[in-house]
Amino acid sequence: MLPEAKASLSAEQIRLHERLAILLAFVAGYMDATGIIKWKTYVSFMSGNTTQLGTSLSSGKWGIIMTSVTVIGCFLLGIYAGTCLAVWKKCKSKTISFYLVIFLLIIYSVVSYYHQIPAIPSIAIIGFSMGIMNTIVTSVGNQKVNTDFVTGTLNSLAKNTALFSMTNDQEERKMYGSNAIHLLLLWLGFLSGAFVLPLVISSLGSWILLFPVLILLICAVWINKSAIPI
C-alpha cells in the first residue's frame, strides 16, 4: 500500500488492510521460525540479525557474519523491489508483489525437493521475499504498521494504549483504541505463525513453504475479487 500519502480510507478499506496485515504477519512469523529452525537466522527480524552481525564482527565468527550480511542485504533489496513495484505507474496489477513472492517460494520448494540448497542462497531467496512482502500493507487506517517488525508493533501498541488511557477526548480515545486493537491483532498474527511452524515442519518436510504460499495465494485472489483498492 504505497505510496503512503492516501486520502481518508473507507471502513471497507480499513477492514481489508487489517485482515491482510494479520495474514501477512502470520506468514512473517512462520517464515522467521523457519529461518531460526533451519538456518539459525532470522529472515524477517533484521534487528536480531544486526545484533548477531555486530557481536560476530567482534569475535570473528565469519559464518554468522556471512549469513547476517546476506539476509540483511537481500531483505533491503526486497523492500527496494517491492516499493518500486508499488509506485510503478505502468504496472496495473494490485497483486504483483503477492505473485512474485509466491513464485519465488514455489521455485525454492521445488528445487529443494530434488536438491539440497545451501544456507546462504536459501536465506538470500527467503530474505528477499520477506522484504517484498513487507511493502504490501504499510498502514491500517491512520496507523502505520510493519508486518515483519514485531518490536515496532509492540512499541506502537504500548504508545497507543498509553494515549488512549491519558486522553478524555472521545474521538481520540476511539482512534487510539482502534489502533491498539489493530496492533495487538498484528502481533498475535506473527506469534501464531511462529507457533504453527514447529507443529507442521516434520509433516511437510521439503514442502514447508507451501503453507505460506497458500495463504498468500488466498490473499491475492481475495484482493482481485474485491473492488476495494489496497
Side-chain angles (χ1 to χ4, degrees):
M1 185 191 161
L2 292 168
E4 300 277 352
K6 295 256 182 181
S8 58
L9 302 176
S10 66
E12 290 80 10
Q13 281 178 295
I14 293 174
R15 282 195 293 271
L16 174 63
H17 295 164
E18 180 182 58
R19 292 165 186 169
L20 287 175
I22 293 169
L23 289 172
L24 292 174
F26 179 94
V27 171
Y30 183 97
M31 297 299 291
D32 230 14
T34 301
I36 285 295
I37 292 175
K38 294 191 70 168
W39 308 298
K40 306 296 186 242
T41 303
Y42 300 104
V43 293
S44 70
F45 178 49
M46 295 304 119
S47 297
N49 289 323
T50 301
T51 302
Q52 285 196 115
L53 176 59
T55 56
S56 299
L57 283 170
S58 65
S59 57
K61 296 179 180 178
W62 293 105
I64 297 176
I65 291 171
M66 286 295 296
T67 56
S68 298
V69 169
T70 299
V71 71
I72 291 170
C74 290
F75 185 79
L76 289 173
L77 287 173
I79 293 175
Y80 176 86
T83 302
C84 289
L85 288 173
V87 300
W88 187 23
K89 294 182 180 179
K90 291 183 179 180
C91 180
K92 304 300 181 183
S93 173
K94 299 185 293 183
T95 53
I96 185 171
S97 293
F98 281 101
Y99 288 122
L100 180 54
V101 174
I102 288 169
F103 172 77
L104 290 171
L105 296 184
I106 288 176
I107 292 298
Y108 178 86
S109 297
V110 172
V111 173
S112 67
Y113 181 75
Y114 294 102
H115 304 282
Q116 182 71 31
I117 303 177
I120 293 294
S122 293
I123 62 175
I125 294 168
I126 305 306
F128 180 77
S129 300
M130 292 302 96
I132 294 174
M133 203 180 75
N134 193 53
T135 66
I136 294 176
V137 176
T138 56
S139 66
V140 176
N142 60 8
Q143 176 63 53
K144 291 183 179 181
V145 298
N146 189 314
T147 55
D148 289 355
F149 186 40
V150 174
T151 304
T153 298
L154 292 173
N155 178 58
S156 296
L157 171 60
K159 284 184 177 179
N160 276 277
T161 303
L163 292 169
F164 173 83
S165 65
M166 294 300 292
T167 184
N168 293 319
D169 184 282
Q170 290 305 309
E171 285 299 316
E172 289 185 350
R173 285 179 65 85
K174 181 179 178 181
M175 178 184 69
Y176 294 133
S178 177
N179 288 345
I181 291 171
H182 295 325
L183 292 160
L184 176 61
L185 292 173
L186 193 65
W187 178 75
L188 289 173
F190 192 100
L191 178 67
S192 299
F195 172 81
V196 167
L197 183 277
L199 303 179
V200 301
I201 190 170
S202 59
S203 57
L204 292 179
S206 297
W207 303 107
I208 193 170
L209 300 184
L210 292 190
F211 188 42
V213 163
L214 177 61
I215 294 175
L216 293 172
L217 187 59
I218 291 171
C219 289
V221 172
W222 180 22
I223 292 169
N224 283 330
K225 288 186 176 181
S226 172
I228 304 170
I230 62 168

